[in-house]
């Protein structure tokens, strides 16, 4: 949204940075969700990633009418993969041993 409002120059590297930040954020949120649930990390990650991808596509279509479908699909797949990995890693993390 900051790019659309014109606060930053529109460079290709900013779009890539936004995709990386989105992937990291969806990974972290799936990790925390699966960690709190304690089970079914794959399912939690997949649901969270799908919801994120749907919202991302909806907002992108509203803001950028001429955005290519290929970019939307690639980023949506990246978000889904990151969220599934976060969910699986969140469930499989061992508890810390406290003395």
């Amino acid at each position: 949204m900051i790019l659309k409002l014109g606060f930053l120059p529109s460079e290709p590297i900013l779009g890539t940075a936004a995709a990386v930040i989105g992937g990291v954020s969806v990974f972290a949120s799936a990790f925390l969700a699966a960690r709190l649930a304690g089970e079914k990390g794959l399912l939690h990650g997949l649901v969270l990633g799908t919801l994120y991808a749907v919202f991302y596509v909806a907002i992108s279509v509203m803001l950028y009418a001429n955005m290519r479908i290929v970019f939307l699909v690639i980023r949506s797949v990246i978000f889904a993969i990151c969220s599934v990995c976060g969910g699986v890693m969140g469930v499989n993390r061992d508890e810390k041993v406290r003395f």
Side-chain angles (χ1 to χ4, degrees):
M1 291 179 71
I2 292 172
L3 287 173
K4 184 67 175 174
L5 293 174
F7 292 127
L8 294 173
S10 178
E11 296 180 19
I13 198 160
L14 292 176
T16 304
V20 169
I21 291 170
V24 170
S25 66
V26 77
F27 175 86
S29 61
F31 183 88
L32 290 175
R35 183 85 172 131
L36 290 174
E39 62 183 9
K40 299 181 183 175
L42 181 70
L43 181 65
H44 284 93
L46 190 60
V47 168
L48 194 113
T50 303
L51 287 174
Y52 188 85
V54 166
F55 285 128
Y56 174 76
V57 168
I59 291 172
S60 295
V61 168
M62 286 189 289
L63 291 178
Y64 302 103
N66 59 353
M67 189 167 188
R68 294 182 182 221
I69 301 296
V70 174
F71 293 134
L72 288 175
V73 171
I74 290 171
R75 286 189 181 178
S76 297
V77 169
I78 289 171
F79 295 150
I81 291 170
C82 288
S83 66
V84 167
C85 290
V88 170
M89 290 176 78
V91 169
N92 290 332
R93 181 156 183 215
D94 293 332
E95 293 288 329
K96 290 183 178 179
V97 177
R98 297 179 189 221
F99 295 101

